[in-house]
Structures are given as structure tokens and as C-alpha cells.
Amino acid sequence: MSTIGIIMNGVTGRMGTNQHLVRSILAIARQGGVRTADGSTLMPEPILTGRDARKLEQLARAHGGLRWTTDLDVALSDPHNRIFFDSSTTTARAGFVAQAVAAGKAIYCEKPTAISTSEALRLAELCERAGLRNGVVQDKLWLPGLRKLAMLKAQGFFGEILSVRGEFGYWVFTGQVADQPAQRPSWNYRAEEGGGIISDMLCHWRYVIDNLVSPIVAVSCLGMIHVPERVDEQGRPYRVTAEDSAYATFRCANGVICHFNSSWSVRVRRDDLLTVQVDGSEGSAVAGLRTCWVQHMSATPKPVWNPDVDSPIDFRGGWTEVPTTTTYDNAFKVQWELFLRHVVDGTPFPWTLREGIKGVQLAELGVQSWKERRWMDVPAL
């Protein structure tokens, strides 16, 4: 068995702690590591880095006494630590990544990789010029529901895909009521700190649509601040400067139209926090995070518009759930295992920082579309 040190920077936040540290790296350690090409086992050994010593110490202690330090240079100088992972704020990411590149570490980071397309390109080129293996988190590709959609497409279930509709979001508490604390950090709602749902979610929709449907070639987007005031982590009210909702339409290279609503100011009355409906000439499917329901042309009912009587059709009853025929692991963990093998064995890993530029580009064009109230072409990078 061999070990590999992983610098985990900025993981004291919700996503970094839950998905990357606990459900990915520590879960990989609990299962006995990752099997490598030569048949041996690779065991990850995280070291937590960040600015807040109290939070780092508490997190490290809560998980068995992990290594931690507030001095990133010390962690970067240790040759045992071969991977640098960043889950800090978007505005700080570029500086951290550049520092880790200078230290010769493999780079893996959350999305968006930067606050602008030009900055994302600069970071990708830094890694490429240094010859360093690198990757960006694109976790939704491994969600069971979306994997089932990809399977249906590969089997030709849809016929010709006509359109895709996505609904994402939930109500994020404002923090103004003590018994309903906010479940997202306040920087998400501050444009000056890299917040906003457009930059957060259009990065996801880019790789989801590119992989599931076809490359995006144009975007029209409207952002809104529906809740103008919230309360921060110190109990202080603040004015929201970043959009909490986005309504975006995408045109794909193959002519398919995709529309995705994303909101932190919506209450859920659907199957899941994310639902994606794909309508095709031969059949339709609706996927959540883990489940997927289908309706074939042969089972499609014939509705007739009549608002004066209750519908005689049970619309939900005409759908069939796609059975689960394999084991689906945590989506973040699956990609982490692939990246670890990529670093050690050189196995293919197409989800590079260069690929991550596309998400930043789409978000940037989405904001521009909103501000200028027009469609924006999405040029090839």
C-alpha cells in the first residue's frame, strides 16, 4: 500500500466538509483506498488548510485527528502532498491555484474555476505549461438520475431529442428568524465576493447539457434578486447584491432547446431539488438526483383541454420508473477516485481546468445577456 498527501484548502465550508472531505476522501480511506493500475492500493492522507485555526482544529479533531495547518506554504513544501484541492471562495481560487502550481502540485478544484473566462484560461495554461495533471469538479455527471438519462439516450429511447427542461432550487432561509438559520453562506449573495446563482449553476448546466445533449452555442439569461435583504453569519443584516434566481434558455449545436430555472428563492413541489425532463419524438424522461421516470410514445395519453372538469387522466400514473441495475456511489467520490488514478497512473481524465473554462464562459455570457437583455452566442474556446 502507498499513500498520497492531499492538501484540502478551504474545506471547512458546507460543500468542502460534507462532499469532498467526509463523503469522498475519508470514505475512500474507510473502504481501504483506491486500487491502482499495478494492483496495489493507494491511500489518501488529507491535510486541511485555511485561515481559521479554530475551524480547522475542530474539523480535524472531529474526524480522527487529521493533519491541519494555517500555513499553506508549509503544506505545499512537503513532497508527500502531491495534490492540491481548492474549495475556497471563487475570488480567492486563482491565487491559491497559482501558488500550488508554483509548488509543482497536481491541481483539483471546485467550480467555477475563476471569476472570468480570461482568468480561467490563465489558470489552465499555468497547469499545462508546468506539465501538471489537473481537474475540475463536475460531479453531476455521476448522479444516478443523470446517468440513467445518459443510458436512455445511448439506447435510443428518446428518438430525436426535442427539448430539455431543468428545474433546480429550494428556499434558502434569510437568517432573520432564529429557528430558521440560513443554509448557504452569505458570500453567495454578494456579487463583490463572487456570489450569485448564475456563476454557481450555469457552470453545472454547461457540462450537463454538453455531455447529455449537445454543445451549447447560444444563451439567453435573466437574473433576479427576489429576496433583497438577508442576515450574515455574525447576525448582521445586509443588502443582497448578487442574483438569487436565474432563468436561462440555451440553444445547442444540434438545434435542441434547453431551459433551466435555478433559484434559491423557490419552494419545492416536484420530485427532487433538481429535476431534468428530456422530451423526444419517441419518449420522454424525468430524472431527479437519483431516480428517473419514463413515458414511451406507446403509453402517452391523449389529453383534451377542458378546464371545467377534473382531469380524467392520472398524468403521474402513466410513467414508469427506470430500475436501478447497478451500484451508484457518491458522485463526488467517483470523480475523486478517477482523479487519484489519473495522478498516479496517468489514466484519462477529460474534466480538466481547460474543460472547466466552458462553465465560466457560459456564466459570464449569462450575466452579459441579463445586463444587455439579449441573446449571446457562445463561441468555441
Side-chain angles (χ1 to χ4, degrees), residues 82-254:
R82 295 176 56 186
I83 296 173
F84 173 82
F85 170 71
D86 186 71
S87 186
S88 64
T89 61
T90 308
T91 52
R93 184 158 297 134
F96 288 132
V97 169
Q99 194 175 348
V101 168
K105 307 300 180 182
I107 304 295
Y108 189 48
C109 66
E110 262 291 355
K111 43 69 37 207
T113 55
I115 59 174
S116 68
T117 305
S118 59
E119 184 78 333
L121 175 61
R122 183 181 72 85
L123 294 181
E125 290 178 339
L126 272 180
C127 291
E128 291 164 357
R129 283 197 299 268
L132 298 172
R133 288 171 177 156
N134 60 89
V136 61
V137 177
Q138 298 195 336
D139 56 284
K140 286 178 174 52
L141 294 178
W142 290 275
L143 287 173
L146 296 193
R147 284 180 61 180
K148 290 173 182 178
L149 284 182
M151 177 188 72
L152 292 169
K153 181 187 177 185
Q155 293 173 345
F157 170 81
F158 298 108
E160 178 187 358
I161 293 179
L162 307 174
S163 65
V164 179
R165 293 169 175 80
E167 288 285 346
F168 167 80
Y170 47 93
W171 189 267
V172 177
F173 295 120
T174 63
Q176 293 164 328
V177 177
D179 289 347
Q180 293 179 327
Q183 65 268 48
R184 294 193 69 89
S186 60
W187 73 263
N188 283 172
Y189 301 95
R190 293 186 171 105
E192 61 274 20
E193 296 182 24
I197 203 167
I198 292 177
S199 63
D200 189 48
M201 296 312 301
L202 263 64
C203 291
H204 282 302
W205 306 149
R206 179 66 189 267
Y207 68 75
V208 167
I209 294 170
D210 278 5
N211 283 273
L212 182 63
V213 185
S214 177
I216 295 172
V217 296
V219 58
S220 173
C221 185
L222 172 66
M224 292 293 293
I225 298 175
H226 289 309
V227 180
E229 184 174 284
R230 294 177 177 272
V231 174
D232 66 17
E233 290 79 1
Q234 286 72 44
R236 298 173 303 203
Y238 67 94
R239 297 295 295 177
V240 171
T241 56
E243 75 287 347
D244 57 31
S245 300
Y247 309 92
T249 303
F250 311 106
R251 182 165 58 83
C252 295
N254 62 356

Side-chain angles (χ1 to χ4, degrees), residues 71-89:
D71 192 335
L72 181 57
D73 287 330
V74 169
L76 290 171
S77 66
D78 186 345
H80 177 65
N81 301 324
R82 295 176 56 186
I83 296 173
F84 173 82
F85 170 71
D86 186 71
S87 186
S88 64
T89 61

